[in-house]
Amino acid sequence: MQGLSPTSAGVAFLARPGRPAVVARTLAELTGPRHGVVELPVRLMWNTERTFDLGDPDDLLWMYENVLRETTRCEDLRQLIDGRTLRRVWRLLNLPRGVRQAWESRHRCLRTA
């Protein structure tokens, strides 16, 4: 199943030029890890340092930012992002405007998170 790319006046919100932001249909489907160490696949993080300790707040934010910005697959979101954690850290994430707009358009609860 593909993620959603919300549109405004027929134009997709972009994660970067030419790439629509991918958004999960529901936050409940995001059942990624809440604890431990996660290694991102190369398609999401090209740096050799692709391992993140979710117990470290800075690592958690950095990992979420990369996944939300770089993914082209909803499956990545489901496997790597936790919906409750996303809501908790939403305001702290440094995201491209298009990614933030796409997620807040689909999940209005993030606007007030």
Side-chain angles (χ1 to χ4, degrees), residues 1-7 12-13 20-26 29 73-74 77-78 102-103 106-107:
M1 174 190 339
Q2 285 293 340
L4 299 177
S5 297
T7 60
F13 294 115
V22 178
V23 178
R25 292 184 188 278
T26 69
E29 75 185 85
R73 309 173 186 186
C74 200
L77 297 172
R78 286 191 289 269
W103 279 84
R106 176 69 183 168
H107 304 288

Side-chain angles (χ1 to χ4, degrees), residues 5-111:
S5 297
T7 60
S8 175
V11 178
F13 294 115
L14 300 178
R16 63 174 62 205
R19 181 186 296 170
V22 178
V23 178
R25 292 184 188 278
T26 69
L27 294 182
E29 75 185 85
L30 303 177
T31 58
R34 292 184 185 180
H35 310 285
V37 175
V38 175
E39 183 173 347
L40 293 183
V42 173
R43 72 178 176 279
L44 297 178
M45 183 82 170
W46 305 285
N47 193 327
T48 56
E49 297 294 323
R50 296 188 318 268
T51 303
F52 300 86
D53 177 357
L54 300 182
D56 178 329
D58 291 332
D59 269 12
L60 174 76
L61 295 175
W62 182 230
M63 187 191 96
Y64 273 45
E65 290 164 357
N66 278 281
V67 172
L68 294 170
R69 182 181 61 245
E70 299 298 333
T71 192
T72 58
R73 309 173 186 186
C74 200
E75 188 60 30
D76 289 334
L77 297 172
R78 286 191 289 269
Q79 291 179 351
L80 296 167
I81 303 292
D82 173 70
R84 286 184 188 171
T85 303
L86 179 63
R87 188 167 180 178
R88 179 175 53 83
V89 302
W90 183 251
R91 287 285 155 220
L92 302 173
L93 294 172
N94 182 14
L95 297 170
R97 182 179 309 151
V99 173
R100 187 169 297 281
Q101 289 174 330
W103 279 84
E104 289 180 356
S105 173
R106 176 69 183 168
H107 304 288
R108 296 187 188 271
C109 65
L110 293 177
R111 293 180 187 177

